[in-house]
Amino acid sequence: MTTHSLFKLGILWGAIVVGLIDASEPRKEADFNFGWRFSLSEQSGLERPDLDDSSWRSIRLPHDWSVEAAFDRERGDGATGYLPGGIGWYRKHFVIPTEEESKLHLVYFDGVYNNAEVWINGEKLGFHPYGYTPFWYDLTPYLRKDGSENILALRVDRSRFVDSRWYPGSGIYRNVKLLTLDRLHVPVWGTYVTTPAVTRTSATVVIEIKVKNDYAQPSQVQVSTGLIDPSGRRVSHQSSSLTLPGDKEGLCIQRFSVPLPQLWDLDHPGLYQAVTTISTDAGVNDVATTPFGIRSIRFDANEGFFLNDVNLKIKGVCLHHDGGLVGAAVPAGVWRRRLAELKEAGCNAIRLSHNPASEEFLNLCDEMGFLVQNEFFDEWDNPKDKRLNKWETKIDYITRGYGEHFQEWAERDLKATMLRDRNHPSVFQWSIGNEIEWTYPAYAKATGFFDMDWKGNYFWSTPPNPPEVIRKLVREGESTAKYSMAKTAAKLAAWTREMDQTRPVILNSILPSASYESGVADVLDILGFSYRRVMYDYGHRYYPTKVIMGTENLPQWHEWKAIMERPFISGTFLWTGIDYMGEARGGWPKKGTDSGLLDLAGFRKPAYHMLKSLWNDAPHVYLATQLLEKSPYRVDEIDGAVVERKPGAWEHALWVWPKTNEHWNYEPKAETVVEVLSNCESVELTLNGRSLGTKHLKDFADHIFKWALPYEAGTLVAKGVKQGKTVSTQLETSGVPARVELTADRNELNADGYEVVHVVAQLVDAEGNPARVENRLIRFTVDGDVRILGVDNGAIDSVQDYQANQVTTDQGRCLLLIQANRKASIVRVMAQVEGLSSLPLSIESK
């Protein structure tokens, strides 16, 4: 069953357990994703209800029209992944049941990218420019209540196809719901749960409940809330009375004591439910269920981060919102697979880069035990150059983004995000912005980093100007600028604290030395450092009471080493957890950014294994090879050790790892380097049963075991030992591909229209060894009531169509993604490669 379905059933089930309502639902949250029509058209006036749309495409949501297109370097741009934009129209026909005509009907959009205009029956409801924030409209006054058809229409304008620094997608790419409510009800986002006192033995839970009376007459309201623990047991209950005048809203605050709470933490993310019933003497009017977690968070300027009073390091990654071949319309099952992979690596936190994520994504983080930094904006007062990532160098229509709307919409978008998200226990930080300093000229100039006479390297140098000089130059520059970053930061921080004071306010700072001196840091609880690990000691020395942490860092050992050596650094968010589309900047056919631990298809990369060895206590061994001449190493002529060509280069390694191979196939006697990424104390390497020596981790400053040897076909085995436990891995020389091996991450799925199956096709030789050095075109055929969402090989430079049933492999493998429809069937998957055999794969959809 999907997260979608479980949550909806949980609302009703929880209320029934408490004994507050019978099995009928006073509140309905209908799935509004099915039965839409779509047209990619520049034509105006398509919102008219008399328009014949029978020729439009029938689609279901979530939907991203850009990812359906071919990659195109002429009609697209590297900043947004070489996929086109355009203007799209959506229409949905629906009827309100006669028995519900007296109720309120609200349509809720979790995200539409972007510049969305919405109409119902030809009446305009509004305009929503930001593509990442939720919004809703009351349809009630405009609905046809005689049993005839209503028409909901949206115009989505993404004609500015380079309006972002990464791939944003196009269209109604998140879920849509139709809410049917009594006129006496808890409004959208009308509950707010906090846990002001938490110990292992008891917890205090406070719930603020808004109640809205849309009847003309006053009402005496009973507000009853029951708390359900993660095991389904009722643990507390409160009732309150509230008198509401007609057409007014009131607030009820209830306080609960929970003995022996099941605390939400990373390993046991238990979720409670607060089931609130709104009733009068005439009966039940509304039931609203609020999932929440009981947990405490605390940051200390000297000791770092504490969850439930336990000190731990934040092992985080940054994630953009695209899911590879599905673009921005990412099914929950795709995120679940990707998050599970990151969890296995030891990752415990996600930074949303650089915008709010979907409600579905946060639900998964609540359930799976991830901390989340919820980030609001990438642009403030001044726009960024989408192609160059810094200040805007010229005005270009197609690159104009949210900065055009920030002055008018920032407060509404920030508060809407917080109202939706502040009950999620996973959310532990509110980030008001990302690398904003670039857009204020005074900041870059004041630091001295970019002065024409400066000879240092920004990444590895502390500020050339002392604090007092930076302070003077920033304030002089801001005094004549149209906008002040410090004033805008103060405004955003104040809005954030107005909505929630239980979580710290943070900003990801690319020039922290300027933010300290301008007053920006003064309005923050935490200053996040972006690629500035060399400034950790600087920040702690000059500003010892201000909490700092890494919020955008390189996926390298030297970054984690710097954090482990400093208790006052809470942790990091690495750039990135997963490769993402966009930010390619003219590198065709490279369509994205390959700094992830996982690639675009969700396959593991070498950096994944490095971080897994750093972030876990359990022993781990990963084996990779490369020709010596193509590696960053050489063999020392004196002692035969494998050493860096440039000594100490590992300490300045950036985003992307040197190319290595997960195979053992070279020309006879070719000079090779074998690398082992491991947290074991020692590793022994053997080739065809012969030991090539045991080496020790303490002897490798770069945390990589290395051997140099002439290639010889056969079996290469790395065996590691850690605290008496032995683990091993091996690479086998493969022959020519003989067949295609299909594997799936599940063998059954619910026929609910949402669940997905990831099918991996791997070329193998006659012995069943992965054949990773040859690539072939694979054509998939799928029988059964499912749909193919797309194919991918994970390569950042593959510009093959995603929306297809065929793809050429990379490293001999590729991914097919299948999604259930809503009829039960037996699904049969076949892979066809010229000259090779393949057994079919069966999946039951039920």
Side-chain angles (χ1 to χ4, degrees):
M1 186 170 288
T2 62
T3 304
H4 220 93
S5 305
L6 283 171
F7 182 73
K8 184 178 178 183
L9 286 179
I11 293 174
L12 180 59
W13 175 80
I16 293 171
V17 169
V18 182
L20 298 176
I21 62 171
D22 60 23
S24 62
E25 293 181 83
R27 160 186 294 246
K28 286 178 63 177
E29 295 191 5
D31 184 335
F32 224 44
N33 286 337
F34 293 87
W36 287 79
R37 296 175 184 176
F38 173 72
S39 176
L40 193 59
S41 173
E42 302 280 341
Q43 183 180 342
S44 61
L46 302 186
E47 74 278 3
R48 296 196 324 268
D50 60 337
L51 178 80
D52 179 9
D53 57 17
S54 59
S55 63
W56 292 19
R57 280 178 56 198
S58 294
I59 65 162
R60 52 143 299 182
L61 306 179
H63 174 243
D64 174 0
W65 81 68
S66 288
V67 81
E68 297 173 343
F71 293 98
D72 190 328
R73 69 186 304 182
E74 303 302 326
R75 296 174 56 237
D77 187 274
T80 48
Y82 295 109
L83 289 171
I87 295 175
W89 285 88
Y90 294 86
R91 286 162 62 98
K92 182 175 174 65
H93 299 242
F94 65 101
V95 174
I96 297 297
T98 305
E99 65 273 16
E100 296 178 356
E101 287 181 351
S102 63
K103 292 182 176 288
L104 297 175
H105 302 278
L106 316 178
V107 63
Y108 177 96
F109 298 93
D110 200 41
V112 179
Y113 201 92
N114 56 352
N115 299 309
E117 296 176 88
V118 186
W119 292 265
I120 181 69
N121 297 327
E123 298 288 340
K124 189 167 184 177
L125 296 172
F127 169 67
H128 190 82
Y130 198 23
Y132 299 108
T133 48
F135 60 101
W136 58 272
Y137 297 112
D138 185 355
L139 304 179
T140 313
Y142 314 103
L143 292 176
R144 294 167 180 161
K145 299 177 181 178
D146 54 1
S148 59
E149 191 175 65
N150 297 280
I151 299 178
L152 182 66
L154 279 82
R155 179 181 187 269
V156 182
D157 182 358
R158 212 190 138 233
S159 55
R160 300 168 180 83
F161 63 92
V162 199
D163 61 350
S164 177
R165 298 187 302 113
W166 55 87
Y167 176 75
S170 300
I172 311 177
Y173 72 105
R174 293 182 183 170
N175 292 320
V176 180
K177 297 185 287 189
L178 181 68
L179 281 65
T180 301
L181 306 171
D182 187 89
R183 292 181 180 272
L184 181 64
H185 61 278
V186 176
V188 176
W189 309 320
T191 59
Y192 175 36
V193 182
T194 58
T195 55
V198 176
T199 68
R200 299 284 170 181
T201 58
S202 66
T204 299
V205 177
V206 177
I207 306 179
E208 296 182 11
I209 305 160
K210 291 180 180 177
V211 183
K212 189 173 185 182
N213 181 16
D214 273 333
Y215 290 105
Q217 66 271 26
S219 187
Q220 187 67 33
V221 182
Q222 190 74 12
V223 182
S224 300
T225 303
L227 300 190
I228 311 299
D229 74 9
S231 62
R233 184 172 57 97
R234 174 176 163 173
V235 293
S236 191
H237 179 261
Q238 291 286 335
S239 290
S240 309
S241 294
L242 192 65
T243 301
L244 282 178
D247 297 315
K248 295 293 182 181
E249 185 174 279
L251 180 66
C252 177
I253 299 177
Q254 297 178 332
R255 182 177 292 267
F256 302 81
S257 179
V258 180
L260 299 174
Q262 298 182 44
L263 302 186
W264 186 94
D265 64 25
L266 302 174
D267 297 320
H268 304 94
L271 292 172
Y272 283 74
Q273 290 187 83
V275 183
T276 300
T277 301
I278 307 301
S279 60
T280 63
D281 290 342
V284 174
N285 298 78
D286 193 15
V287 177
T289 297
T290 308
F292 70 98
I294 297 176
R295 56 103 177 100
S296 67
I297 56 174
R298 175 167 60 90
F299 286 85
D300 184 272
N302 295 307
E303 299 180 66
F305 174 64
F306 294 79
L307 176 63
N308 299 325
D309 284 329
V310 176
N311 188 220
L312 59 86
K313 290 290 188 185
I314 296 164
K315 303 171 181 177
V317 297
C318 302
L319 289 183
H320 274 305
H321 73 302
D322 72 286
L325 66 90
V326 293
V330 189
V334 170
W335 277 128
R336 184 181 292 278
R337 171 181 177 249
R338 291 172 173 231
L339 289 173
E341 287 287 281
L342 293 172
K343 188 86 171 180
E344 187 176 331
C347 174
N348 61 22
I350 306 294
R351 173 175 170 241
L352 304 178
S353 312
H354 302 290
N355 46 262
S358 67
E359 185 174 22
E360 236 176 4
F361 183 90
L362 292 179
N363 288 341
L364 284 170
C365 291
D366 289 345
E367 173 195 335
M368 299 177 72
F370 285 93
L371 299 165
V372 174
Q373 181 193 106
N374 204 331
E375 192 157 76
F376 302 135
F377 305 117
D378 186 55
E379 290 183 337
W380 289 359
D381 303 307
N382 304 311
K384 292 181 179 177
D385 190 302
K386 308 307 185 293
R387 298 183 178 96
L388 298 178
N389 276 350
K390 298 183 182 179
W391 49 85
E392 188 172 61
T393 56
K394 65 177 181 178
I395 296 176
D396 187 348
Y397 171 82
I398 61 173
T399 67
R400 307 306 277 179
Y402 184 67
E404 298 284 285
H405 303 284
F406 179 81
Q407 306 302 328
E408 180 183 352
W409 282 86
E411 181 176 7
R412 276 178 283 182
D413 286 323
L414 181 152
K415 290 183 176 179
T417 299
M418 294 186 69
L419 285 168
R420 186 196 66 175
D421 297 346
R422 62 185 181 176
N423 292 322
H424 286 279
S426 57
V427 176
F428 81 131
Q429 293 176 332
W430 301 114
S431 171
I432 60 175
N434 167 63
E435 296 184 356
I436 301 295
E437 295 99 332
W438 287 133
T439 64
Y440 295 84
Y443 283 68
K445 180 180 179 181
T447 62
F449 280 120
F450 308 103
D451 185 272
M452 61 182 297
D453 296 324
W454 185 63
K455 305 300 182 185
N457 184 300
Y458 168 76
F459 269 85
W460 316 119
S461 302
T462 54
N465 286 343
E468 59 273 15
V469 172
I470 297 173
R471 185 182 313 121
K472 177 177 179 292
L473 292 175
V474 167
R475 296 190 176 180
E476 285 178 356
E478 287 216 323
S479 67
T480 58
K482 182 177 180 181
Y483 297 111
S484 162
M485 181 177 173
K487 290 179 180 178
T488 300
K491 181 169 58 178
L492 294 172
W495 290 338
T496 304
R497 294 189 179 100
E498 178 186 336
M499 306 303 296
D500 179 35
Q501 296 189 26
T502 70
R503 299 168 175 90
V505 179
I506 189 171
L507 175 135
N508 183 42
S509 176
I510 192 72
L511 294 170
S513 53
S515 286
Y516 276 127
E517 303 307 327
S518 67
V520 169
D522 296 342
V523 304
L524 304 171
D525 300 301
I526 306 172
L527 187 62
F529 281 21
S530 187
Y531 306 111
R532 305 301 291 127
R533 71 164 175 82
V534 295
M535 281 189 59
Y536 289 157
D537 295 332
Y538 171 103
H540 195 56
R541 179 173 70 253
Y542 284 109
Y543 315 96
T545 62
K546 180 64 65 178
V547 176
I548 57 176
M549 64 172 290
T551 44
E552 191 166 320
N553 295 99
L554 303 158
Q556 300 285 351
W557 155 234
H558 64 74
E559 290 277 21
W560 188 244
K561 180 175 181 291
I563 290 166
M564 292 302 295
E565 292 170 348
R566 293 165 175 81
F568 60 89
I569 300 297
S570 301
T572 184
F573 291 101
L574 302 178
W575 192 266
T576 56
I578 307 172
D579 290 354
Y580 60 95
M581 289 197 288
E583 209 169 346
R585 298 204 289 280
W588 178 271
K590 184 180 177 184
K591 64 180 182 289
T593 301
D594 54 343
S595 59
L597 309 186
L598 304 174
D599 69 18
L600 286 168
F603 297 137
R604 298 175 179 182
K605 298 166 64 179
Y608 177 96
H609 297 279
M610 171 59 86
L611 271 299
K612 184 174 182 178
S613 73
L614 297 174
W615 283 353
N616 289 274
D617 293 328
H620 177 64
V621 175
Y622 170 76
L623 185 58
T625 67
Q626 182 55 282
L627 292 170
L628 179 62
E629 63 186 26
K630 293 185 177 181
S631 78
Y633 307 112
R634 63 177 179 84
V635 177
D636 187 274
E637 295 178 355
I638 297 176
D639 60 10
V642 181
V643 296
E644 291 179 301
R645 296 180 194 273
K646 183 179 179 181
W650 69 271
E651 296 180 276
H652 295 159
L654 296 174
W655 294 273
V656 181
W657 282 62
K659 171 70 175 174
T660 58
N661 302 310
E662 199 173 333
H663 66 67
W664 187 235
N665 284 73
Y666 298 99
E667 294 295 323
K669 299 185 179 180
E671 288 299 315
T672 67
V673 172
V674 175
E675 298 183 25
V676 174
L677 304 178
S678 178
N679 55 5
C680 290
E681 295 139 5
S682 63
V683 172
E684 181 186 20
L685 188 71
T686 62
L687 176 59
N688 296 327
R690 304 190 313 274
S691 177
L692 301 179
T694 298
K695 299 192 177 186
H696 300 272
L697 185 60
K698 62 181 177 60
D699 296 327
F700 294 96
D702 61 358
H703 216 273
I704 301 175
F705 294 85
K706 293 175 284 292
W707 287 260
L709 63 150
Y711 173 73
E712 173 189 316
T715 304
L716 195 65
V717 179
K719 182 172 68 176
V721 179
K722 182 179 182 183
Q723 297 177 349
K725 295 182 180 179
T726 300
V727 292
S728 65
T729 189
Q730 68 181 49
L731 294 176
E732 187 90 22
T733 301
S734 63
V736 297
R739 66 178 189 274
V740 183
E741 187 172 86
L742 297 178
T743 57
D745 60 346
R746 57 195 304 176
N747 56 21
E748 62 180 38
L749 70 165
N750 288 311
D752 61 359
Y754 288 101
E755 289 197 347
V756 296
V757 175
H758 296 81
V759 178
V760 175
Q762 174 70 60
L763 304 179
V764 298
D765 67 11
E767 304 300 320
N769 299 310
R772 297 191 176 100
V773 295
E774 290 191 46
N775 290 304
R776 303 288 180 84
L777 177 69
I778 297 183
R779 291 184 176 90
F780 293 100
T781 58
V782 180
D783 296 324
D785 196 45
V786 294
R787 63 174 184 150
I788 294 177
L789 289 183
V791 290
D792 188 21
N793 62 17
I796 203 72
D797 59 355
S798 170
V799 287
Q800 301 173 82
D801 288 356
Y802 277 149
Q803 306 288 298
N805 68 343
Q806 65 179 41
V807 64
T808 299
T809 62
D810 182 71
Q811 301 178 58
R813 70 186 175 192
C814 63
L815 173 72
L816 166 72
L817 187 63
I818 298 170
Q819 186 171 51
N821 285 325
R822 296 195 286 182
K823 290 182 181 178
S825 66
I826 299 298
V827 181
R828 190 169 183 265
V829 181
M830 287 285 294
Q832 298 171 336
V833 178
E834 186 176 353
L836 304 186
S837 63
S838 174
L839 294 175
L841 184 71
S842 291
I843 301 161
E844 184 178 5
S845 177
K846 58 183 182 179

